[in-house]
Amino acid sequence: MEGWKRFIQDQRIAYFSMEIGLKAEIPTYSGGLGVLAGDTIKSAADLKIPMIAVTLLHRKGYFEQHFTADGWQLEKDVNWLPEKHMQLLPTRTLVTIEGRDVKIQAWLYNLKSPTGGELPVLFLDTDIPGNHPDDCSLTDHLYGGGLEMRLKQEIILGIGGARILRALNFTIKKYHLNEGHASLLTTELLNNARIPVEDTWDERSSWDTHRVMEQCVFTTHTPVAAGHDRFPYAMAERILPPEVPIKLLKELTGQEELNMTLLALNLSNFINGVAKRHGEISQNLFPGFEIHAITNGIHPFTWCSPFFVTLFDKYLPGWANEPELLVRVDNIPDDAVWDSHCGAKALFFQYVKEQTGKTLDPELLTIGFARRAATYKRGDLIFSNLERLLKIGAGKLQFVFGGKAHPRDEGGKQVIQRIIQQADKLRGKIELVYLENYNMDTASRFIPGVDIWLNNPMRPLEASGTSGMKAALNGVPNFSVLDGWWIEGHIEGVTGWSIGPPPAEIDQEVGRANEDLEDMYRKLEKVILPLYFNDRKGWVQVMKNAIGKNAYYFNTHVMMRRYVTDAYIH
Ligand SMILES: *Cc1c(COP(=O)(O)O)cnc(C)c1O
């Protein structure tokens, strides 16, 4: 029972994230941010990097997605049992929220790597007898409720998380704030580092901000100012614990609103964006700070279909813990790559049949698109001109879609509905399936099981994107707008294909839908479909390049080594 105490012997890096996606059965993630967090700590465990992760329990998950007959999204709570996966620790901590003491407990999940590495993950939980009923539900829903709920959850994560680590006697060398949700952690560190000064009117001088900066690493994920968490001070002052130095926060982040990104930027020595382009965008948004770039990755073993695991094990043994070996993919015979792909495709089509009753044709070029249904991702763009699409693709291609819209995102739900309604208009000519309840489990079957991975967000809103990396690992080439990681991974016609104009000047206007659409149709018709149907050898070479020129590099093993050398050991 006390086995967990061995974890407190090493100095650790504490990784704080509002969402962590380890597996579908632990539904504490909504999309790319959480899956990235999970992949990050899995690679850390594989590489035996001394780390501990902190997140919230989200007892009712994000939500389970269903559709009405006319394609409108419905949400259902997920009821999962933490005790099936993790162990409740006996130590509790306390934080004052809106004037009430809230007890916080932590569940320990022990992440075990096949390499022997182990990494503790703490899931914070306020559902404790003695807490006010309203406070018991604070850790129920990921991104549930409104702005006040968001602030309370951030208090639990940042301040509660820092306190529980202290209560459990962990020695923390660095705190890694994954997005601004964890920024309040810095206020707890400020309090711990307070220099006693008598009767000072100068707030800044009595706080050892330098000590806190040395401890903090901040990764920003949001490429637009409007996307960053901000709270009016009237709300913040009412809800935050009294020991939070509001006056100092105002000095650091401005008098108007409590801006969580600015708070983290001001109190972290190392700051990074999640792709080279996103680093530049963030540097432009926040000119007063030095912003680095460490491009996101995916955890190789998690996202490799069983067919490619077998293939890579045979030809590139050791690839899972040394994904750089994938650079030698050209040593694998073409037929073996194609057969593995056909296996993954057949398995996925079987799954589609079970879930929807629809039969997909394995001979057709299958286009996959699945990610959070945020409007900027423009899931329905390809249907803007149905007549043209039918002319290009009838009898040659089919679509599989997936992805959830945030419960309060009406626009996102409308995108889903529009996509589902295309199925009727295309019936008999182009098959279209929208899978319900996209999650890590469906993603791991879905992405390897299509022929090409489509992504057409509005530039520059895709900070990195990671699903395309999962595709590349399984030999599924990307067909994507040049944004996020794809700017670094794309070689036209070699690793996949671009959509729309190249990334030029930094304040390029958002959108360019018509240019994107035209390019998408043109390439599908003139380049992609002919290659797929008439030049299988050429197609397999692109598949191999996706593996050897994308997947060998865009993975969390490579990414974690960068975090260690650039951010953690200084
Ligand atoms: C990888 C993944 C994402 C991220 O997809 P993007 O295309 O990078 O936005 C979202 N949801 C799930 C379930 C994933 O596995």
Side-chain angles (χ1 to χ4, degrees), residues 86-105:
M86 35 190 103
Q87 166 198 356
L88 183 60
L89 298 180
T91 308
R92 288 176 179 171
T93 191
L94 204 66
V95 58
T96 311
I97 300 177
E98 212 173 6
R100 275 201 301 269
D101 280 349
V102 179
K103 288 186 255 185
I104 301 172
Q105 62 188 10

Side-chain angles (χ1 to χ4, degrees), residues 142-434:
L142 172 61
Y143 307 136
L147 204 57
E148 293 196 359
M149 176 62 90
R150 175 73 74 106
L151 180 59
K152 291 175 182 179
Q153 292 187 330
E154 294 189 9
I155 294 170
I156 293 165
L157 177 67
I159 301 176
R163 285 186 187 169
I164 205 111
L165 289 176
R166 268 172 48 128
L168 292 167
N169 279 320
F170 280 97
T171 315
I172 304 302
K173 180 179 153 56
K174 287 276 185 195
Y175 292 87
H176 187 164
L177 288 67
N178 188 42
E179 189 53 307
H181 308 134
S183 295
L184 287 169
L185 158 66
T186 59
T187 68
E188 182 66 9
L189 299 181
L190 279 170
N191 274 319
N192 294 344
R194 178 119 213 212
I195 308 165
V197 180
E198 250 177 80
D199 285 339
T200 175
W201 292 102
D202 175 6
E203 272 294 313
R204 218 179 261 244
S205 70
S206 64
W207 302 94
D208 194 348
T209 50
H210 287 286
R211 172 81 194 100
V212 175
M213 288 176 75
E214 278 165 15
Q215 293 175 283
C216 291
V217 170
F218 174 50
T219 301
T220 172
H221 292 260
T222 318
V224 280
H228 296 263
D229 262 350
R230 285 160 306 157
F231 302 94
Y233 270 112
M235 179 192 294
E237 284 173 42
R238 183 164 47 80
I239 291 177
L240 286 172
E243 61 275 19
V244 169
I246 298 260
K247 238 174 106 182
L248 176 68
L249 299 197
K250 287 184 176 168
E251 269 180 46
L252 292 175
T253 79
Q255 302 290 325
E256 275 104 75
E257 301 171 300
L258 176 51
N259 180 319
M260 292 304 185
T261 302
L262 283 175
L263 178 58
L265 288 171
N266 272 287
L267 290 169
S268 302
N269 249 356
F270 184 89
I271 303 158
N272 72 289
V274 291
K276 291 198 193 313
R277 174 71 160 169
H278 178 241
E280 293 166 17
I281 305 258
S282 306
Q283 186 65 78
N284 262 30
L285 277 178
F286 305 107
F289 302 92
E290 186 187 0
I291 303 192
H292 302 264
I294 298 181
T295 304
N296 281 164
I298 53 144
H299 183 250
F301 189 74
T302 299
W303 295 108
C304 197
S305 84
F307 295 91
F308 279 86
V309 168
T310 307
L311 185 73
F312 294 154
D313 279 351
K314 178 167 175 196
Y315 290 96
L316 306 166
W319 66 278
N321 203 37
E322 195 182 345
E324 294 90 332
L325 290 173
L326 297 172
V327 79
R328 295 174 59 74
V329 67
D330 284 337
N331 282 338
I332 307 178
D334 282 3
D335 286 352
V337 171
W338 182 250
D339 289 349
S340 299
H341 174 64
C342 291
K345 196 170 170 182
L347 192 69
F348 176 54
F349 284 15
Q350 178 66 32
Y351 177 79
V352 169
K353 173 97 187 148
E354 284 160 20
Q355 297 293 311
T356 68
K358 290 197 183 177
T359 306
L360 295 173
D361 182 348
E363 294 302 315
L364 302 190
L365 178 85
T366 306
I367 300 181
F369 183 107
R371 44 183 60 86
R372 286 182 308 110
T375 43
Y376 82 84
K377 299 200 187 231
R378 301 189 298 189
D380 57 341
L381 183 70
I382 196 165
F383 305 113
S384 305
N385 184 342
L386 280 190
E387 211 179 305
R388 178 104 184 257
L389 182 63
L390 282 167
K391 221 176 114 216
I392 295 168
K396 296 186 193 145
L397 55 82
Q398 57 196 352
F399 291 97
V400 189
F401 281 83
K404 299 173 180 174
H406 184 277
R408 295 188 173 200
D409 180 6
E410 293 291 306
K413 291 186 189 181
Q414 284 162 6
V415 173
I416 294 176
Q417 189 171 44
R418 281 200 296 272
I419 296 171
I420 293 175
Q421 290 175 349
Q422 301 305 326
D424 294 330
K425 300 184 197 152
L426 297 170
R427 180 146 305 136
K429 297 170 199 125
I430 294 180
E431 190 65 78
L432 186 160
V433 172
Y434 201 117

Side-chain angles (χ1 to χ4, degrees), residues 29 31-32 35 303 370-371 377 438-440 443 462 465-467 470:
Y29 62 95
V35 175
W303 295 108
R371 44 183 60 86
K377 299 200 187 231
Y438 187 61
N439 62 24
M440 289 183 70
E462 196 69 271
T466 51
S467 65
K470 299 168 193 166

